[in-house]
Amino acid sequence: MPSALGEYFQDDDGSLPEIELRFAQPALLVAALEYLFGLPGAYDASRDTACVWNLIHDREEPYRSPQDARRVASGELAAFHRLLRAAQVDGCVLPDLGVFVSGEELILDYRMGPQWGESEIVALLRLLARLRKRGAQVAVPWWGESGERAFADAIAGIDAGRSAAN
């Protein structure tokens, strides 16, 4: 396990740590959401029971697709949460990721625990590096100042093509 990041993934303390992905334009956010749910093996585990809140008509309606993020950005829908399951990055299946969609950001949350080995953490870092290339500003404020530094170093290693395992 990447030693500098292990403490942010190892022990399930019941919390759901968050990774923030901010976008300058709604179209970039929508494209990132489509990218996430378009990863090999990925599916929306909340799809069958999920609804969104239409702010204009003041009513619940079925979730349609990642394109609903456009409707959040326009103010038509309230922010919503999805559950991304079985997404693969370079052949590694990621543990479940929650995806909260607001007008200008996606917030990924995850359950800490033994499902996060070295390969899963590295795959997540690769995914985040790819999302940065798609316009995301990535931050982990939940991790605190030292966690932000460790995260920035790990992402820089991924961006430079090195393994995050050092």
Side-chain angles (χ1 to χ4, degrees), residues 75-150:
E76 181 183 348
L77 295 180
F80 59 86
H81 191 269
R82 317 288 338 132
L83 180 59
L84 178 65
R85 183 165 284 161
Q88 295 178 36
V89 176
D90 299 333
C92 179
V93 178
L94 292 174
D96 290 353
L97 293 172
V99 183
F100 179 78
V101 180
S102 74
E104 61 252 352
E105 70 182 348
L106 300 176
I107 299 176
L108 305 180
D109 62 64
Y110 60 94
R111 173 76 57 201
M112 295 167 33
Q115 68 275 19
W116 288 100
E118 179 177 351
S119 59
E120 289 79 13
I121 295 171
V122 170
L124 177 63
L125 291 170
R126 287 183 179 144
L127 174 61
L128 295 172
R130 291 171 188 164
L131 289 168
R132 280 187 2 166
K133 290 178 182 172
R134 294 172 175 272
Q137 293 178 345
V138 184
V140 288
W142 184 93
W143 292 12
E145 190 176 319
S146 63
E148 281 272 9
R149 278 195 305 276

Side-chain angles (χ1 to χ4, degrees), residues 7 25 37 66 101 103 125 127 136 163-164 166:
E7 70 182 279
Q25 302 168 5
F37 284 95
V101 180
L125 291 170
L127 174 61
S163 168
N166 7 349

Side-chain angles (χ1 to χ4, degrees), residues 4 22 33 35 40 43 49 66 103 130 142 144 150:
R22 294 183 185 266
L33 188 62
Y35 176 75
Y43 69 95
T49 60
R130 291 171 188 164
W142 184 93

Side-chain angles (χ1 to χ4, degrees), residues 26-91:
L28 294 174
L29 181 145
V30 172
L33 188 62
E34 289 176 330
Y35 176 75
L36 284 172
F37 284 95
L39 288 168
Y43 69 95
D44 185 344
S46 53
R47 175 85 186 178
D48 293 337
T49 60
C51 290
V52 292
W53 189 258
N54 187 310
L55 296 168
I56 294 171
H57 300 290
D58 198 29
R59 69 173 183 228
E60 196 174 71
E61 62 183 53
Y63 169 79
R64 296 179 194 162
S65 73
Q67 285 292 321
D68 280 347
R70 230 182 266 292
R71 297 169 64 205
V72 172
S74 73
E76 181 183 348
L77 295 180
F80 59 86
H81 191 269
R82 317 288 338 132
L83 180 59
L84 178 65
R85 183 165 284 161
Q88 295 178 36
V89 176
D90 299 333

